[in-house]
Amino acid sequence: MAQNADNVLDHFDLFRGPEYQEMLANKKAKFEQGHDPAEVERVREWLKTEEYQKLNFAREALTVNPAKACQPLGAVFVAVGFNGAIPFVHGSQGCVAYYRSHFSRHFKEPTSCVSSSMTEDAAVFGGLNNMIDGLANTYNMYKPKMIVVSTTCMAEVIGDDLNAFIKTAKEKGSVPADFDVPFSHTPAFVGSHITGYDNAMKGMLEHFWDGKSGTVEKITPVKNGSINFLGGFDGYTVGNLREIKRIFNEMGVKYTIVGDNSDVWDTPTDGEFRMYDGGTTIEEATNAVHASATISMQEYCTEKTLPFVAEHGQDVFAFNHPISVKATDKFLMTVAKIAGVEIPASLEKERGRLVDAIADSAAHIHGKKFAIYGDPDLCYGLAEFLLELGAEPTTILSTNGNKRWEEKMKALLASSPFGKDCEVYSQKDLWHLRSLLFTRPVDFLIGNTYGKYLERDTNTPLIRIGFPIFDRHHKHRYPVWGYQGGLNVLVTILDKIFDTMDANTIIAGKTDYSFDIIR
């Protein structure tokens, strides 16, 4: 065998050895009952046709590789943004393992989250005992400052009442009567991770502002001139929230980041394990009701939360992942107006540098065609930036987008000659996008790691922007919001353009007429 203690091969080389190739060939021939290679090739080519695309888009009862995750993932995202909080998911242990691994693979950091570990008996008789024991165990073992409860499919299908369960658990002594246990119902079989974010964030604010859980008294707001900031579900939360803090501090704005998970997913290696690091404190969450305004950086992540905030007398403002110069201008002018401050010269310089960078690189991006997929706000922000760059968005797909998002997206595209040929799809999946990449080919694809398979199948170069990014490291540490974020996105797009250009001009004496040192 090729593998031995003196020469340990990794899997990239190991399975290319002759003995493994022979083993795989035998397995295929004897056990897989495969079809004739010519028939396989015929079907493969047919899958690229418009005839198949029509059949693909006609399907109703099947989803293939949706570009979204389920609600409880968004609820866990919210929970870890509060100081000393541990997410508690009322449901099966396997579901929670998925949420933890999904975040840990993206952020390369441990993600603490516990489960009520419901099994078959709880599915029949209800999960009250699991809640009673689970809250007690969590409180005593992990010493949190609060436990944030959400649900999975199992608990929602049988109709477990979180409010009643938590009250009963407190009566049984699982946690002290005045201990904070905010909650939200997040059924995983509807909506997506952004719906879960919205439900969980609204549940947090209800708990601290209205006392819905019966643990705090309703607060009468007295405005203090500060701004609340909601980032939404964001794979770049580490870099983006730090960038927002920097901008606010530059402007001299009084603010509260509600759900600040920028530290817990970027802890240092210094010999100390930090289960809870940073985050919005209970006091800050409670006092957030007194803010003059709340800003959401992602409109479609806060469709329920912002109306709730508005009911408490605050002005609310929603943005769509501001990456472009125009979007960042609007964001900064809104903040300046709310806070009654001027935009400092330092930020104006950053704006000029981004405009300069765009001008430097315009010739390489102008006219390039792009397909984009991902969350609705991210798709909007990226499309707006591409139009600004003179690129041509051709296909935009958001599995968790809705008709209202579609109309807003189409209005944006109609505002620029570069968007006139773009088609917009909500509630479609990546198998739909695969058909479109064959029938409406583009130069580049923008999306998360799962686009890797689309890149291989359709030979469309993938630019990795979104969530999750599993196969590249540390992207989450760099902002994509604001002028600095726009510059990062610009560089990411350009790097792929130049890499692709080099790969297509690399053969000496055949294609290397443009294999240039200067680009």
Side-chain angles (χ1 to χ4, degrees):
M1 299 292 285
Q3 191 73 287
N4 62 73
D6 296 322
N7 182 28
V8 178
L9 301 177
D10 63 31
H11 57 92
F12 293 106
D13 297 317
L14 179 64
F15 295 110
R16 296 180 185 182
E19 62 271 43
Y20 284 100
Q21 290 297 302
E22 182 181 359
M23 178 189 71
L24 293 172
N26 288 336
K27 176 177 177 290
K28 184 174 183 178
K30 296 179 180 179
F31 301 105
E32 291 185 3
Q33 298 179 341
H35 292 276
D36 177 70
E39 175 64 7
V40 171
E41 187 59 30
R42 185 193 68 80
V43 172
R44 181 184 287 119
E45 290 302 312
W46 176 66
L47 293 175
K48 302 175 183 179
T49 64
E50 290 190 4
E51 178 188 13
Y52 176 74
Q53 181 190 312
K54 291 177 181 178
L55 293 172
N56 189 11
F57 273 72
R59 61 184 160 91
E60 297 178 355
L62 176 67
T63 299
V64 183
N65 200 11
K68 67 173 185 175
C70 59
Q71 280 205 51
L73 189 77
V76 172
F77 185 97
V78 169
V80 300
F82 290 82
N83 181 255
I86 190 165
F88 181 107
V89 182
H90 185 47
S92 69
Q93 192 169 351
C95 292
V96 176
Y98 155 67
Y99 312 139
R100 293 175 62 183
S101 67
H102 216 61
F103 284 131
S104 296
R105 289 168 179 168
H106 176 83
F107 292 110
K108 313 305 178 190
E109 292 282 348
T111 300
S112 298
C113 181
V114 298
S115 167
S116 61
S117 299
M118 293 174 64
T119 53
E120 290 85 350
D121 58 341
V124 175
F125 301 108
L128 176 58
N129 289 333
N130 297 72
M131 179 71 70
I132 293 170
D133 293 342
L135 289 179
N137 290 338
T138 303
Y139 179 77
N140 290 298
M141 292 177 66
Y142 302 115
K143 313 298 181 188
K145 294 179 182 177
M146 72 171 105
I147 301 172
V148 185
V149 180
S150 57
T151 53
T152 67
C153 297
M154 184 187 296
E156 290 295 331
V157 167
I158 62 176
D160 280 0
D161 184 339
L162 292 185
N163 189 37
F165 280 19
I166 291 168
K167 285 182 177 179
T168 301
K170 287 187 173 185
E171 291 168 0
K172 298 284 187 180
S174 296
V175 296
D178 60 350
F179 186 78
D180 289 301
V181 188
F183 66 88
S184 57
H185 287 274
T186 53
F189 44 77
V190 294
S192 72
H193 55 284
I194 65 172
T195 320
Y197 176 97
D198 197 12
N199 286 332
M201 184 58 74
K202 181 172 180 281
M204 293 292 289
L205 297 183
E206 283 179 338
H207 174 84
F208 287 110
W209 295 4
D210 284 1
K212 295 291 185 183
S213 65
T215 59
V216 292
E217 295 181 1
K218 185 171 183 176
I219 298 169
T220 302
V222 178
K223 302 308 173 192
N224 60 15
S226 69
I227 297 174
N228 294 329
F229 182 88
L230 303 172
F233 190 103
D234 175 28
Y236 299 87
T237 187
V238 172
N240 275 342
L241 289 186
R242 288 176 181 167
E243 179 67 6
I244 292 301
K245 292 175 194 176
R246 185 188 70 84
I247 289 172
F248 281 169
N249 291 335
E250 287 266 321
M251 297 179 71
V253 172
K254 183 180 179 183
Y255 67 92
T256 299
I257 306 290
V258 183
D260 182 358
N261 43 32
S262 59
D263 285 340
V264 73
W265 276 324
D266 193 27
T267 58
T269 297
D270 57 3
E272 177 186 351
F273 171 63
R274 296 168 174 83
M275 179 173 285
Y276 315 108
D277 198 19
T280 308
T281 66
I282 290 174
E283 182 181 12
E284 289 170 335
T286 303
N287 289 335
V289 72
H290 300 300
S292 298
T294 291
I295 290 175
S296 167
M297 217 58 157
Q298 297 193 68
E299 174 185 0
Y300 298 98
C301 283
T302 50
E303 292 183 306
K304 297 177 184 176
T305 302
L306 283 190
F308 173 81
V309 172
E311 290 171 4
H312 288 73
Q314 295 185 26
D315 295 326
V316 295
F317 302 88
F319 297 88
N320 305 103
H321 239 295
I323 300 169
S324 69
V325 177
K326 178 182 177 182
T328 299
D329 288 349
K330 182 180 177 183
F331 169 66
L332 293 182
M333 288 188 290
T334 301
V335 172
K337 183 177 180 180
I338 296 170
V341 299
E342 296 293 325
I343 297 174
S346 59
L347 294 179
E348 291 181 0
K349 270 193 172 182
E350 289 180 17
R351 182 187 192 276
R353 289 173 185 139
L354 175 56
V355 172
D356 181 66
I358 292 171
D360 291 342
S361 308
H364 296 287
I365 298 181
H366 180 84
K368 294 288 192 302
K369 297 183 182 295
F370 291 82
I372 308 169
Y373 68 92
D375 290 341
D377 290 289
L378 177 61
C379 286
Y380 190 97
L382 286 169
E384 190 173 36
F385 191 43
L386 288 175
L387 293 174
E388 207 167 66
L389 299 177
E392 298 180 13
T394 302
T395 301
I396 301 175
L397 182 145
S398 181
T399 304
N400 47 0
N402 53 33
K403 291 298 180 183
R404 188 169 64 85
W405 169 80
E406 271 193 44
E407 293 306 312
K408 184 169 184 174
M409 197 80 254
K410 290 175 181 177
L412 170 68
L413 295 164
S415 70
S416 168
F418 300 115
K420 62 183 177 65
D421 294 325
C422 186
E423 295 184 353
V424 179
Y425 301 92
S426 65
Q427 303 296 308
K428 300 300 181 185
D429 55 44
L430 295 187
W431 193 251
H432 290 113
L433 182 56
R434 184 181 184 275
S435 282
L436 292 168
L437 290 174
F438 282 121
T439 59
R440 288 173 56 83
V442 296
D443 298 304
F444 296 94
L445 173 66
I446 301 180
N448 62 27
T449 284
Y450 292 110
K452 188 171 189 170
Y453 300 101
L454 296 176
E455 180 179 41
R456 180 184 63 185
D457 290 353
T458 68
N459 200 31
T460 308
L462 171 65
I463 300 169
R464 289 166 174 80
I465 301 176
F467 177 90
I469 305 292
F470 290 151
D471 61 338
R472 299 292 185 272
H473 287 202
H474 310 303
K475 300 292 186 182
H476 64 278
R477 300 177 191 272
Y478 297 91
V480 299
W481 290 340
Y483 302 129
Q484 291 296 116
L487 183 59
N488 288 335
V489 172
L490 175 64
V491 170
T492 299
I493 293 171
L494 286 168
D495 281 349
K496 193 67 174 184
I497 289 175
F498 293 139
D499 284 343
T500 303
M501 198 179 297
D502 287 344
N504 290 335
T505 59
I506 202 169
I507 303 174
K510 292 186 177 181
T511 65
D512 64 336
Y513 304 108
S514 299
F515 192 66
D516 298 333
I517 297 297
I518 299 172
R519 293 294 190 192

